[in-house]
Amino acid sequence: MLVVAIVGGLTAVYAAIIGVAQNDIKKVLAYSTVSQLGYMFLAAGAGAYAAAIFHVFTHAFFKACLFLGSGSVIHAMGGEQDMRKMGGLKKHMPTTYWTFLVATLALAGIPIFAGFFSKDEILAKAFGAGVGNLGGYANVYYVLWGLGVAGAFLTAFYMFRAVYMTFHGEFRGTEEQAHHLHESPASMTVPLVLL
């Protein structure tokens, strides 16, 4: 169990660090998924099986919304995935923006959103595993709790970076891309709203 928790904690932080360095919107989300899987294994290794399954469930909804939102952005950008060539899309894609932002708040673990409850439960159980472990491994669980907290902060950082680079500031794409910017059709935005 301890090995599973260690692998999960290290994976959560390592993948989050890689996510910070990505400029491709889909790669940010892909490394985020790896990081969240690390969180789930951290929970399982700490004996918090229900919390791990709860995070699988909450994560499925907000990550699906984020991937579909990134698809909406890529559609509007004519296939461009590099966030360095985006910016200012909020005014052109309000539905995509607001749904992407809400899903980001959930993934970042902001209170009242689903991700907060599942991440909080995982962190509480990891810390509790340290408190309840009198076999000499208590300090390891405290370190794992610290890795979980670090992973949560890194997640918030790379996701709000993605929101800012994609939707805020000035548009950094080509003139042709700027001319074709538009909100996606209802077939793409309705699933975003539902998620």
Side-chain angles (χ1 to χ4, degrees):
M1 296 280 286
L2 182 60
V3 172
V4 171
I6 290 170
V7 169
L10 291 175
T11 300
V13 172
Y14 184 65
I17 291 170
I18 295 172
V20 168
Q22 299 303 310
N23 292 312
D24 182 311
I25 191 168
K26 285 173 65 177
K27 285 185 181 179
V28 170
L29 298 177
Y31 282 108
S32 170
T33 300
V34 174
S35 178
Q36 298 311 301
L37 288 168
Y39 247 96
M40 295 164 204
F41 275 84
L42 170 60
Y49 308 114
I53 295 300
F54 184 34
H55 197 57
V56 168
F57 191 76
T58 60
H59 179 261
F61 284 93
F62 53 72
K63 190 56 68 72
C65 186
L66 288 166
F67 268 111
L68 290 174
S70 70
S72 180
V73 168
I74 293 165
H75 171 72
M77 292 289 297
E80 182 62 63
Q81 295 181 199
D82 192 337
M83 295 184 302
R84 294 172 295 185
K85 298 177 182 173
M86 297 177 186
L89 299 182
K90 177 182 175 182
K91 61 186 169 204
H92 301 286
M93 308 181 73
T95 304
T96 300
Y97 169 71
W98 286 108
T99 55
F100 199 93
L101 180 62
V102 167
T104 295
L105 293 170
L107 176 57
I110 303 300
I112 80 156
F113 294 96
F116 167 76
F117 295 103
S118 57
K119 282 187 177 186
D120 184 60
E121 186 67 18
I122 290 169
L123 292 174
K125 295 292 185 180
F127 193 84
V131 172
N133 192 325
L134 302 176
Y137 295 112
N139 290 337
V140 176
Y141 282 103
Y142 295 139
V143 169
L144 290 171
W145 174 83
L147 287 175
V149 170
F153 280 106
L154 285 168
T155 299
F157 177 79
Y158 65 67
M159 284 310 301
F160 285 110
R161 173 182 174 264
V163 168
Y164 181 78
M165 288 180 72
T166 304
F167 295 102
H168 294 276
E170 295 296 318
F171 183 71
R172 297 178 298 277
T174 65
E175 282 292 323
E176 183 180 345
Q177 287 172 328
H179 181 69
H180 294 291
L181 287 178
H182 61 285
E183 182 62 271
S184 296
S187 62
M188 294 175 79
T189 56
V190 169
L192 292 174
V193 172
L194 292 175
L195 286 167

